[in-house]
Amino acid sequence: MSKLTTLKKAVSEFVTDGDIVYAAGFTHLIPFAAGHEIIRQGKKNLILARATPDLIYDQMVAAGCAKKVIFSYMGNPGVGSLRIVRSAIERGELEWEEYSHFGMITRLQAGASGLPFLPMNQTGGEDLEKVNPNIKRIPDPYGGKDVIVVPALNPDVAIVHVQRADKNGNAHLWGIIGEQKEAAFAAKKVILTAEEIVDESVIRSDPNRTMIPGIVVSAVCHVPFASHPSYSQGYYDRDNEFYLAWDKISESKELTQQYLDEWVYSVKDRNAYWKKLGEKTHKRLKVKAQYSEKINYGKY
Amino acid sequence: MPELKYSSAELMIINASRLLRDGDVVFVGVGQPNLACNLAKRTHAPNLVMIYEAGVIGAEPARLPLSIGDPTLVSGALSVVSMYDIFANYLQRGNVDVGFMGGAQIDKYGNINATVIGGYDTPKVRLPGSGGSQEIAAWANRCYIMTPHQKRRFPEKVEFMTSAGFIEGKGAREARGLRGGGMLAVVTDIGVLEPDDSGEMMLTALHTGRTAEEAKANTGWNLKIAEHVKTTEQVTKKELKILREELDPTGIYLKGAA
């Protein structure tokens, strides 16, 4: 059954105030278009989970969508501080819950596997354990050293951007695959945005590349350039200039509000946003093709 | 021959690159560690396998990566895996030789704070947090860090232990079953600190022209000085040329100290 819909409808139907939202993607395929749509729709009191909150959560926190963040590395990647989330935490205006990357990803893996928790080896970095009661230690039932356990994370909704998907939500993604698969399986609902909507036969031509099956997907939205200023491997480059610019914008409340007004509230959708970026930016982010060798699945 | 001029960042990067051995599997961070690893690969360690936290194995970046997930890391890499796999199969399982650390503070026992200055619940300065640091520190065979030698960065005890060095000293890592060897070298703009038998970081080498007194004055604990303090090898023209012309031609990470 086709799950194709607009991002506006998908966000309206599947994101509810107070939800735990996981916008997936480790620096790659970050679903900015969906983040902006959530801001436009004025969603509130969200619990925003992501290993790296990145600019997408900085913007959503600035817009007043969040009551809490769950994270494992809070920075502007390659630039420095993630100013808005950081200052909201420093001022005591935003709740937070923190893990190491492995702790965070293990929570998702447990959630994706339907387990209540999963163990990890001890790291000796014990102060996080003291301040986060979700991180516990239990004896190894087989007689080894104690192990650290973290509870499953089952977001109400995961948002995953992919290079291509069919109308049923079977999705190919490649490049850095971060935690997209785990987030999709862990979540109760999944909104998929895709650079391209392709025929099911394209997906079936390369089944090993299907990281997310349509059976876990709630909505499929055709949103080209959805991850700018992040990137989609092979489609467009990461906009480092914008990551640097955000460092300045996010220093000032006025500039941040101006940014949100101009680039989120005043644009109808991603298509309008991309047009507004202009040809110079499009050209700067263009990438030359570099194809993989074909593989032979065989005809049986 | 005229004396070579270089920044303290260049001095640290070059000395850190010399710690890598040919064939090492190294967990790389962006910025200065990335330059140190790529420099080693272009000089004495051509068989270095670079792993990036984003899940990229055997990366051969064609341009300077500006973030840990730069797409240049992916094109032409040996393998790309999920975050769960990189931390479980590669780090936790013990397939990583070297980890490069970062952090705001490092203490007497090589423990790192990358989380917070001030109280955790009432932070004075909220830092980015662990990221992959906690696991790299525990499970890479050898850990290294580059940091400018300043008293505020070298407290006797970190305010928050994000990542373990030798924790409270001898035997502490073993008691917890940590598989890696811990913090084995701290490269600063003054010299190099290495752990003694108890896990206490002590001064073992100085860069040309720097003194043990300077190192002591810029350390927050009573820094032990090794009996025979070495002088680090001179920076070479070739190393500087690779850094400046091939790896970071616009000098993003080569200027200044940090």
Side-chain angles (χ1 to χ4, degrees), chain A residues 119-162:
Chain A
M120 305 173 289
N121 283 336
Q122 291 183 50
T123 66
E126 286 152 16
D127 281 353
L128 203 53
E129 205 179 318
K130 291 177 197 149
V131 295
N132 181 346
N134 262 348
I135 305 172
K136 297 186 188 300
R137 56 178 60 211
I138 58 170
D140 170 1
Y142 303 99
K145 304 270 184 200
D146 285 359
V147 291
I148 304 297
V149 293
V150 286
L153 177 62
N154 291 107
D156 293 298
V157 56
I159 303 164
V160 180
H161 184 60
V162 301

Side-chain angles (χ1 to χ4, degrees), chain A residues 26-28 51 71-75 77-81 86 89-90 96-103 105-106 109 118-129 131-132 137 145-146 174-179 182 231 233 236-238 240 290, chain B residues 30 53-56 63 66-76 80-84 87-88 92 115 120-132 134-135 137-139 158-164 167 173-178 253:
Chain A
F26 189 77
T27 74
H28 177 215
F71 68 91
S72 47
Y73 183 88
M74 178 191 58
V79 177
S81 184
R86 172 182 161 180
I89 285 177
E90 286 176 349
W96 80 96
E97 186 180 313
E98 179 174 11
Y99 299 86
S100 68
H101 273 347
F102 192 40
I105 299 309
T106 299
Q109 177 70 40
L118 268 176
M120 305 173 289
N121 283 336
Q122 291 183 50
T123 66
E126 286 152 16
D127 281 353
L128 203 53
E129 205 179 318
V131 295
N132 181 346
R137 56 178 60 211
K145 304 270 184 200
D146 285 359
W174 59 92
I176 289 166
I177 52 176
E179 81 299 48
E182 293 78 6
Y231 68 101
Q233 188 86 30
Y236 44 93
D237 204 350
R238 186 174 187 270
N240 284 304
Q290 182 175 317
Chain B
V30 283
E53 177 177 86
V56 183
R63 67 179 189 202
L66 294 177
S67 87
I68 195 74
D70 194 306
T72 191
L73 300 171
V74 169
S75 298
V80 182
V81 302
S82 71
M83 270 182 96
Y84 188 79
F87 282 102
Q92 185 169 247
T115 304
Y120 182 78
D121 292 316
T122 49
K124 203 166 118 204
V125 182
R126 186 48 237 211
L127 303 164
S130 166
Q134 193 180 320
E135 285 81 21
W139 304 327
V158 282
E159 291 178 49
F160 189 99
M161 189 169 70
T162 310
S163 310
I167 314 174
R173 289 183 68 92
E174 292 77 6
R176 291 162 174 84
L178 308 190
Y253 303 113

Side-chain angles (χ1 to χ4, degrees), chain A residues 73 76-80 238 240 243-244, chain B residues 6-14 28-39 52 61 63-70 72-73 146 148 240 243-244 246-258:
Chain A
Y73 183 88
N76 176 342
V79 177
R238 186 174 187 270
N240 284 304
Y243 275 81
L244 288 165
Chain B
Y6 43 81
S7 69
S8 54
E10 288 168 331
L11 177 66
M12 290 193 289
I13 292 165
I14 288 167
V28 190
V30 283
Q32 295 178 351
N34 174 70
L35 293 177
C37 295
N38 278 285
L39 175 60
Y52 290 79
R63 67 179 189 202
L64 177 68
L66 294 177
S67 87
I68 195 74
D70 194 306
T72 191
L73 300 171
M146 278 177 259
L240 285 173
L243 280 180
R244 292 171 183 174
E246 293 176 31
L247 296 178
D248 187 6
T250 57
I252 296 174
Y253 303 113
L254 296 177
K255 293 167 191 157

Side-chain angles (χ1 to χ4, degrees), chain A residues 81-224:
Chain A
S81 184
L82 195 64
R83 297 184 187 280
I84 292 165
V85 174
R86 172 182 161 180
S87 65
I89 285 177
E90 286 176 349
R91 289 198 307 264
E93 294 167 2
L94 184 67
E95 295 171 43
W96 80 96
E97 186 180 313
E98 179 174 11
Y99 299 86
S100 68
H101 273 347
F102 192 40
M104 186 81 182
I105 299 309
T106 299
R107 288 199 64 192
L108 274 183
Q109 177 70 40
S113 319
L115 286 166
F117 63 86
L118 268 176
M120 305 173 289
N121 283 336
Q122 291 183 50
T123 66
E126 286 152 16
D127 281 353
L128 203 53
E129 205 179 318
K130 291 177 197 149
V131 295
N132 181 346
N134 262 348
I135 305 172
K136 297 186 188 300
R137 56 178 60 211
I138 58 170
D140 170 1
Y142 303 99
K145 304 270 184 200
D146 285 359
V147 291
I148 304 297
V149 293
V150 286
L153 177 62
N154 291 107
D156 293 298
V157 56
I159 303 164
V160 180
H161 184 60
V162 301
Q163 278 103 334
R164 63 190 187 196
D166 67 19
K167 61 184 190 321
N168 302 313
N170 298 296
H172 279 180
L173 58 152
W174 59 92
I176 289 166
I177 52 176
E179 81 299 48
Q180 275 95 337
K181 184 177 84 179
E182 293 78 6
F185 277 93
K188 295 165 192 157
K189 290 162 287 183
V190 177
I191 297 174
L192 206 71
T193 60
E195 292 291 329
E196 294 185 77
I197 301 296
V198 295
D199 194 81
E200 189 176 311
S201 63
V202 175
I203 301 294
R204 288 184 182 278
S205 76
D206 194 4
N208 277 123
R209 208 177 302 283
T210 309
M211 307 281 301
I212 296 167
I215 55 169
V216 300
V217 173
S218 316
V220 183
C221 313
H222 184 211
V223 191

